[in-house]
Amino acid sequence: MKPLKEKISITLDSTILEILRREAEEDERSLSQYINLILSRHIKAQSTNDRE
């Protein structure tokens, strides 16, 4: 069975990372969970826009 999550390495601008860390903390999520959440929301919004 394939794992549900995979580890990757990415490079982010320090200002973006600072904002993500702050927002993740405010949302009481880990940075990884928060990035996954906002990417999922973005992908969903994009697929909705593509249908219009």
Side-chain angles (χ1 to χ4, degrees), residues 1-26:
M1 184 171 167
K2 187 175 179 180
L4 298 176
K5 295 184 179 188
E6 293 185 39
K7 289 186 178 194
I8 62 164
S9 293
I10 62 170
T11 303
L12 299 173
D13 292 339
S14 59
T15 53
I16 292 173
L17 184 55
E18 184 180 319
I19 292 166
L20 290 171
R21 283 186 172 135
R22 185 176 60 245
E23 291 182 0
E25 186 176 325
E26 289 173 4

Side-chain angles (χ1 to χ4, degrees), residues 10-49:
I10 62 170
T11 303
L12 299 173
D13 292 339
S14 59
T15 53
I16 292 173
L17 184 55
E18 184 180 319
I19 292 166
L20 290 171
R21 283 186 172 135
R22 185 176 60 245
E23 291 182 0
E25 186 176 325
E26 289 173 4
D27 205 31
E28 297 182 353
R29 296 178 189 272
S30 69
L31 179 60
S32 180
Q33 288 173 325
Y34 189 72
I35 291 171
N36 199 36
L37 175 69
I38 62 173
L39 286 173
S40 295
R41 287 178 180 169
H42 175 75
I43 291 167
K44 184 176 180 181
Q46 288 297 107
S47 67
T48 301
N49 290 339

